[in-house]
Amino acid sequence: MTTIAVLGNGRVGGNLATALIRAGHEVTVADRAPGAAAAARTAQIVINATPGAGSLDRLVALREELRDKILVDVSNATIDGPDGLPADLIYPGSSLAEQLQEALPETRVVKTLNTMLFPVMTAPATLTQAPDAFLSGEDPQAKQTVRELLIDLGWRKEWITDLGGIQTARATEAAILFVPHVIGSSGFAPFAISIAR
């Protein structure tokens, strides 16, 4: 059992928290201070499921609470269009994960689960073909811990791809720009990025 703090109580955070509790972990969900600080302070792993546009400021404010922790970043920092869907990236040529790692050097940031609609994060086997979950981060041990969490969420080992360092997160974050076009073409049905091999 791992003690996990999920920051963000929207659809993504709530979905992850429910699934992780079902998998046997001790999970606290918090959104804003002071609850977020208390949750992060007592957790072994912190999951950022806050809206990406404000994530950097929120998490930098928790610098001390996040020291020596694994921070799992599942958010994408985007500028939304008039329909509320992602229209552009806030950090072109970089990524939210890179910005977090630079601002929080004593925190081990791992980017994952950001290339899919939120229901797939905890139910990958419901898709008609195998999806991919990608890992980006500098710390191999942290990525292994996150890999084990993904397996607890129903991801098969062969569906999880370690892309390398945190810089690779800029590629997966850019994939969010597919979302409005896919939804416009086929409706709001669960989907994920998948690499055909």
Side-chain angles (χ1 to χ4, degrees), residues 66-112:
L66 293 171
R67 186 187 301 273
D68 299 323
K69 304 287 175 73
I70 296 173
L71 175 62
V72 183
D73 179 30
V74 303
S75 295
N76 291 302
T78 59
I79 300 166
D80 291 342
D83 55 3
L85 295 173
D88 209 346
L89 302 173
I90 290 177
Y91 306 112
S94 183
S95 64
L96 173 58
E98 289 173 86
Q99 298 294 314
L100 288 169
Q101 188 61 86
E102 183 178 354
L104 303 167
E106 296 176 310
T107 301
R108 295 175 289 164
V109 178
V110 179
K111 188 80 177 190
T112 193

Side-chain angles (χ1 to χ4, degrees), residues 15-123:
N15 185 44
L16 286 169
T18 299
L20 289 166
I21 290 168
R22 195 181 308 124
H25 299 287
E26 182 181 322
V27 180
T28 302
V29 179
D31 192 18
R32 303 199 178 273
R41 188 178 300 116
T42 57
Q44 296 165 286
I45 296 172
V46 177
I47 297 176
N48 174 39
T50 65
S55 288
L56 185 59
D57 289 341
R58 287 184 185 186
L59 293 168
V60 167
L62 300 175
R63 180 189 307 276
E64 289 305 312
E65 290 82 1
L66 293 171
R67 186 187 301 273
D68 299 323
K69 304 287 175 73
I70 296 173
L71 175 62
V72 183
D73 179 30
V74 303
S75 295
N76 291 302
T78 59
I79 300 166
D80 291 342
D83 55 3
L85 295 173
D88 209 346
L89 302 173
I90 290 177
Y91 306 112
S94 183
S95 64
L96 173 58
E98 289 173 86
Q99 298 294 314
L100 288 169
Q101 188 61 86
E102 183 178 354
L104 303 167
E106 296 176 310
T107 301
R108 295 175 289 164
V109 178
V110 179
K111 188 80 177 190
T112 193
L113 295 180
N114 63 310
T115 56
M116 61 202 69
L117 292 191
F118 78 92
V120 181
M121 294 178 176
T122 58

Side-chain angles (χ1 to χ4, degrees), residues 178-187 189 191:
F178 273 106
V179 169
H181 308 298
V182 174
I183 290 174
S185 172
S186 54
F191 71 90

